[in-house]
Amino acid sequence: MAADYVIVGAGSAGCAIAYRLAEAGKSVIVIEFGGSDAGPLIQMPGALSYPMNMPLYDWGYQSEPEPHLGGRRLATPRGKVIGGSSSINGMVYVRGHARDFDHWEEAGARGWSYADVLPYFKRQEAWNDRGHGGDPAWRGTDGPLHVTRGPRDNPLTRAFTEAGRQAGYPVIADYNGEQQEGFAPFEMTVHKGRRWSTANAYLRPALRHQGCSLVRGLARRVVIREGRATGVEVSRGGKTEIIEARQEVILAASSINSPKLLMLSGIGPAAHLADHGIDLVADRPGVGENLQDHLELYIQQAATQPVSLFKYWNLAGKAYVGARWLFTKSGPGASNQFESTGFIRSRAGVDYPDIQFHFLPIAVRYDGKAAAEGHGFQAHVGPMRSPSRGRVRLTSPDPAAKPSILFNYMSTAQDWEDFRTCIRLTREIFAQPAFDPYRGKEIQPGEAVQSDDELDDFIRAHVESAYHPCGTARMGAVDDPMAVVDPECRVIGVDGLRLADSSIFPRIPNGNLNGPSIMVGEKAADHILGRAPLPRSNAVPWIHPDWQNAQR
């Protein structure tokens, strides 16, 4: 079995690459270990807490005991299904801030500044503001990825935005447009009431091209002959075989599995590979390093009126939501319920937002367990640019073995200071008059938790991953010893091998990572095809004019 291009991973970036290569008439084989995304548990946006916690769809990874979180192991879900993590995520669509991508370029990723990547964000989007008053000049309208907004008909959802305004922050029409800073309607990858994963947006259209096919199996290693990648060794149907790549192998297997696959193939830190008896092909000490993530806390408040989604949190309510979605693709099941957001700066002297809010009109955990108090609401809040860095390592030369993942969360004083600030700023927003008709007691942290030490204890016990791992094979200049790929996504030191997914992010962007991961796939496809990049944008993003002196 052979093709011009062999892609490992049918996830956010891999599906986009497959689509663009197939569109260009190339023959493509996509290797994916996971199975079908059919059925309401994945396709119904309101059911998002289910697939993320199901071994059928998730690799089931966990971190090592985190030393700064009392030895807690944190869940690290990654999609094991066509569409990858875009089939199990919260469907939130955020591009990131313009300054994030300018930082990428400053870190050695030449050609990845905001002016360079904005045209690719526009190319991927089929954006429809549905009369909400967005920022059409900054958006794409005819791409494969449908981006929409929920109806925002819950009064708590609207109260959150109004509370932001009352607290002195801007209210903006489109955080994915000229200005990210402020409170705004959230955007989601949902189309006609269905999850619009990259399997729906990119892979299915790609597979309609004669030259594109999907192969189910476990990628064991990249086959490298005389310094060139020539194929991928795959286990499937109880047998091991090699799928040949006539031109290139492209890894897009996630920020956990891509570095794992590089190391299994002999590309990585020499001493670590020697420990596992793996022959060295290229000594790249940056493989598996630079692991980053977003952490968040759920600040929860009881509601004094029965206006939250808790009214559906029973058998009859869930049956109603499910039946309405199945027959009409409408109602609460047609939204991820993340319909309001905010991006703010933690303090004066920070030039662009470093805190993000996800508001939810129910007090509930990510695994779908509701707070015992009943009706309530919550904001997920966390810093966007933690200085902590972790790593991914092999535990065995066996490709079926789970890797060792250590995020090293909360390893700096800055992390703790930032999280205390997050809690206090969220409490200030919940205290605004807009919430007066609804505000009950604070469920968590609880009103008694006020001092720095008390807040730190709460953070240590309750902080959760936002499931945004990235950075483990970062992009940079060819002469940077810690860079793994060059600015055209070529793995440094091996010919015919590219890597294009969230692994290559030099630094984590503001917000949820699905949008930037798809953008990486879009841009990498042009590099793979040898095309000139799309023309740079001249658009100038908004920065707070008095950011040096004002927090808002």
Side-chain angles (χ1 to χ4, degrees), residues 111 138-139 149 152 156 167 171 204 218 233 241-242 296 336 339 426 434 436 447 465 467 472 486 516 528:
W138 291 70
R139 307 305 299 272
R149 299 176 178 189
R152 307 186 84 214
L156 294 168
V171 171
R204 289 189 169 89
L218 177 68
E233 185 180 279
E241 62 182 283
I242 292 173
E296 60 187 12
N336 61 2
E339 296 182 0
T426 308
D436 286 354
E447 283 152 26
S465 171
Y467 310 137
T472 48
D486 72 10
I528 293 162

Short mmCIF file of all heavy atoms in Angstrom, two decimals, residues 111 138-139 149 152 156 167 171 204 218 233 241-242 296 336 339 426 434 436 447 465 467 472 486 516 528:
data_model
loop_
_atom_site.label_atom_id
_atom_site.label_comp_id
_atom_site.label_asym_id
_atom_site.label_seq_id
_atom_site.Cartn_x
_atom_site.Cartn_y
_atom_site.Cartn_z
N GLY A 111 7.56 33.64 9.26
CA GLY A 111 6.42 33.44 8.38
C GLY A 111 5.15 33.00 9.10
O GLY A 111 4.17 32.62 8.46
N TRP A 138 -12.84 40.78 8.96
CA TRP A 138 -11.77 39.98 9.55
C TRP A 138 -12.03 38.49 9.45
O TRP A 138 -11.23 37.69 9.93
CB TRP A 138 -11.58 40.36 11.03
CG TRP A 138 -11.02 41.73 11.22
CD1 TRP A 138 -11.65 42.93 10.98
CD2 TRP A 138 -9.71 42.06 11.70
NE1 TRP A 138 -10.81 43.97 11.28
CE2 TRP A 138 -9.62 43.48 11.73
CE3 TRP A 138 -8.61 41.31 12.11
CZ2 TRP A 138 -8.47 44.14 12.15
CZ3 TRP A 138 -7.47 41.98 12.55
CH2 TRP A 138 -7.40 43.38 12.55
N ARG A 139 -13.17 38.10 8.86
CA ARG A 139 -13.59 36.71 8.91
C ARG A 139 -13.67 36.08 7.53
O ARG A 139 -13.78 36.77 6.52
CB ARG A 139 -14.97 36.59 9.60
CG ARG A 139 -15.05 37.25 10.97
CD ARG A 139 -13.98 36.76 11.95
NE ARG A 139 -14.08 35.35 12.24
CZ ARG A 139 -14.83 34.83 13.21
NH1 ARG A 139 -15.53 35.63 13.99
NH2 ARG A 139 -14.87 33.53 13.40
N ARG A 149 -22.76 30.84 16.46
CA ARG A 149 -22.96 31.28 17.84
C ARG A 149 -24.26 30.70 18.37
O ARG A 149 -25.20 30.49 17.61
CB ARG A 149 -23.02 32.81 17.91
CG ARG A 149 -21.74 33.46 17.43
CD ARG A 149 -21.85 34.98 17.39
NE ARG A 149 -20.59 35.57 16.97
CZ ARG A 149 -20.32 36.86 17.01
NH1 ARG A 149 -21.23 37.72 17.44
NH2 ARG A 149 -19.13 37.31 16.63
N ARG A 152 -28.01 32.38 22.94
CA ARG A 152 -27.86 33.25 24.11
C ARG A 152 -29.22 33.62 24.70
O ARG A 152 -29.44 34.77 25.11
CB ARG A 152 -27.05 34.51 23.77
CG ARG A 152 -25.71 34.23 23.13
CD ARG A 152 -24.89 35.49 22.94
NE ARG A 152 -24.14 35.83 24.14
CZ ARG A 152 -23.89 37.08 24.54
NH1 ARG A 152 -24.36 38.10 23.87
NH2 ARG A 152 -23.18 37.30 25.62
N LEU A 156 -28.93 34.19 32.30
CA LEU A 156 -27.63 34.19 32.98
C LEU A 156 -26.50 34.47 31.99
O LEU A 156 -25.53 35.17 32.31
CB LEU A 156 -27.41 32.84 33.66
CG LEU A 156 -28.34 32.50 34.82
CD1 LEU A 156 -28.20 31.03 35.21
CD2 LEU A 156 -28.07 33.40 36.03
N ALA A 167 -18.49 46.15 35.23
CA ALA A 167 -17.19 46.14 35.92
C ALA A 167 -16.14 46.98 35.20
O ALA A 167 -15.01 47.10 35.69
CB ALA A 167 -16.70 44.69 36.06
N VAL A 171 -17.42 45.68 25.95
CA VAL A 171 -18.25 44.64 25.36
C VAL A 171 -18.03 44.72 23.86
O VAL A 171 -18.16 45.80 23.27
CB VAL A 171 -19.74 44.81 25.73
CG1 VAL A 171 -20.61 43.85 24.92
CG2 VAL A 171 -19.94 44.56 27.22
N ARG A 204 -14.41 13.98 5.53
CA ARG A 204 -15.41 13.36 4.64
C ARG A 204 -15.35 13.94 3.23
O ARG A 204 -15.37 13.18 2.25
CB ARG A 204 -16.80 13.48 5.27
CG ARG A 204 -16.96 12.56 6.47
CD ARG A 204 -18.38 12.46 7.01
NE ARG A 204 -18.43 11.37 7.98
CZ ARG A 204 -18.18 11.51 9.28
NH1 ARG A 204 -17.90 12.71 9.76
NH2 ARG A 204 -18.22 10.47 10.09
N LEU A 218 -2.67 1.20 14.18
CA LEU A 218 -1.78 1.89 15.12
C LEU A 218 -0.45 2.15 14.44
O LEU A 218 0.26 1.21 14.04
CB LEU A 218 -1.57 1.04 16.37
CG LEU A 218 -0.59 1.63 17.39
CD1 LEU A 218 -1.17 2.89 18.03
CD2 LEU A 218 -0.22 0.62 18.47
N GLU A 233 5.25 2.28 9.65
CA GLU A 233 4.95 0.92 10.08
C GLU A 233 3.67 0.93 10.91
O GLU A 233 3.56 1.70 11.86
CB GLU A 233 6.11 0.37 10.91
CG GLU A 233 5.96 -1.09 11.30
CD GLU A 233 7.15 -1.57 12.12
OE1 GLU A 233 8.19 -1.89 11.51
OE2 GLU A 233 7.04 -1.59 13.36
N GLU A 241 2.51 -4.00 9.00
CA GLU A 241 2.83 -3.74 7.59
C GLU A 241 3.39 -2.33 7.46
O GLU A 241 3.28 -1.51 8.38
CB GLU A 241 1.59 -3.91 6.71
CG GLU A 241 0.46 -2.95 7.04
CD GLU A 241 -0.77 -3.19 6.17
OE1 GLU A 241 -0.73 -2.76 5.00
OE2 GLU A 241 -1.74 -3.78 6.67
N ILE A 242 3.97 -2.06 6.31
CA ILE A 242 4.52 -0.73 6.04
C ILE A 242 3.70 -0.07 4.94
O ILE A 242 3.48 -0.65 3.88
CB ILE A 242 6.00 -0.81 5.65
CG1 ILE A 242 6.84 -1.27 6.86
CG2 ILE A 242 6.50 0.55 5.15
CD1 ILE A 242 8.28 -1.54 6.55
N GLU A 296 -7.59 25.75 34.59
CA GLU A 296 -8.72 26.61 34.91
C GLU A 296 -9.37 26.17 36.21
O GLU A 296 -9.22 25.02 36.63
CB GLU A 296 -9.74 26.62 33.77
CG GLU A 296 -10.32 25.27 33.43
CD GLU A 296 -11.21 25.27 32.19
OE1 GLU A 296 -11.20 26.28 31.44
OE2 GLU A 296 -11.92 24.28 31.97
N ASN A 336 -23.25 24.02 22.65
CA ASN A 336 -22.33 23.55 23.69
C ASN A 336 -22.58 24.27 25.02
O ASN A 336 -21.95 23.93 26.03
CB ASN A 336 -20.87 23.71 23.25
CG ASN A 336 -20.49 25.16 22.98
OD1 ASN A 336 -21.29 26.09 23.15
ND2 ASN A 336 -19.26 25.36 22.54
N GLU A 339 -21.81 30.15 25.72
CA GLU A 339 -22.33 31.17 24.81
C GLU A 339 -21.87 32.58 25.14
O GLU A 339 -22.15 33.52 24.39
CB GLU A 339 -23.86 31.08 24.75
CG GLU A 339 -24.32 29.75 24.16
CD GLU A 339 -25.83 29.61 24.03
OE1 GLU A 339 -26.56 30.56 24.40
OE2 GLU A 339 -26.28 28.55 23.55
N THR A 426 -13.00 37.35 39.02
CA THR A 426 -14.27 36.68 38.73
C THR A 426 -15.30 37.02 39.79
O THR A 426 -16.47 37.30 39.47
CB THR A 426 -14.07 35.15 38.67
OG1 THR A 426 -13.01 34.84 37.77
CG2 THR A 426 -15.34 34.46 38.21
N ALA A 434 -25.85 43.23 37.50
CA ALA A 434 -26.51 42.36 36.52
C ALA A 434 -26.88 40.99 37.10
O ALA A 434 -27.85 40.36 36.65
CB ALA A 434 -25.60 42.16 35.30
N ASP A 436 -27.69 40.59 40.38
CA ASP A 436 -28.50 40.77 41.60
C ASP A 436 -29.77 39.92 41.61
O ASP A 436 -30.13 39.35 42.64
CB ASP A 436 -28.86 42.25 41.79
CG ASP A 436 -27.66 43.09 42.27
OD1 ASP A 436 -26.60 42.49 42.56
OD2 ASP A 436 -27.80 44.32 42.34
N GLU A 447 -17.41 31.64 50.27
CA GLU A 447 -17.10 33.00 50.74
C GLU A 447 -16.04 33.04 51.84
O GLU A 447 -15.39 34.07 52.04
CB GLU A 447 -18.39 33.69 51.19
CG GLU A 447 -19.23 34.15 50.00
CD GLU A 447 -20.73 34.20 50.28
OE1 GLU A 447 -21.10 34.37 51.46
OE2 GLU A 447 -21.50 34.06 49.32
N SER A 465 -7.26 20.84 34.19
CA SER A 465 -6.78 21.14 32.85
C SER A 465 -7.93 21.61 31.97
O SER A 465 -9.05 21.10 32.08
CB SER A 465 -6.14 19.90 32.22
OG SER A 465 -5.86 20.12 30.86
N TYR A 467 -7.51 21.13 28.88
CA TYR A 467 -7.27 20.17 27.80
C TYR A 467 -6.72 20.85 26.55
O TYR A 467 -7.20 20.64 25.45
CB TYR A 467 -8.54 19.36 27.47
CG TYR A 467 -9.22 18.77 28.68
CD1 TYR A 467 -10.60 18.80 28.83
CD2 TYR A 467 -8.47 18.16 29.69
CE1 TYR A 467 -11.22 18.26 29.94
CE2 TYR A 467 -9.09 17.61 30.80
CZ TYR A 467 -10.46 17.66 30.93
OH TYR A 467 -11.07 17.12 32.04
N THR A 472 5.18 20.43 22.17
CA THR A 472 6.16 19.38 22.47
C THR A 472 7.12 19.05 21.32
O THR A 472 7.94 18.15 21.43
CB THR A 472 5.42 18.09 22.86
OG1 THR A 472 4.39 17.86 21.88
CG2 THR A 472 4.78 18.22 24.23
N ASP A 486 11.20 23.08 11.29
CA ASP A 486 11.53 24.40 10.76
C ASP A 486 10.23 25.13 10.40
O ASP A 486 9.13 24.56 10.55
CB ASP A 486 12.49 24.27 9.57
CG ASP A 486 11.85 23.72 8.30
OD1 ASP A 486 10.61 23.58 8.23
OD2 ASP A 486 12.61 23.42 7.35
N PRO A 516 -6.45 27.27 16.18
CA PRO A 516 -5.05 27.36 15.73
C PRO A 516 -4.50 26.04 15.20
O PRO A 516 -3.65 26.05 14.30
CB PRO A 516 -4.30 27.80 17.00
CG PRO A 516 -5.32 28.42 17.87
CD PRO A 516 -6.62 27.75 17.55
N ILE A 528 3.65 21.94 2.11
CA ILE A 528 3.84 20.60 1.56
C ILE A 528 3.69 20.62 0.04
O ILE A 528 4.47 19.96 -0.68
CB ILE A 528 2.82 19.62 2.20
CG1 ILE A 528 3.13 19.44 3.69
CG2 ILE A 528 2.84 18.27 1.49
CD1 ILE A 528 1.97 18.88 4.50
#
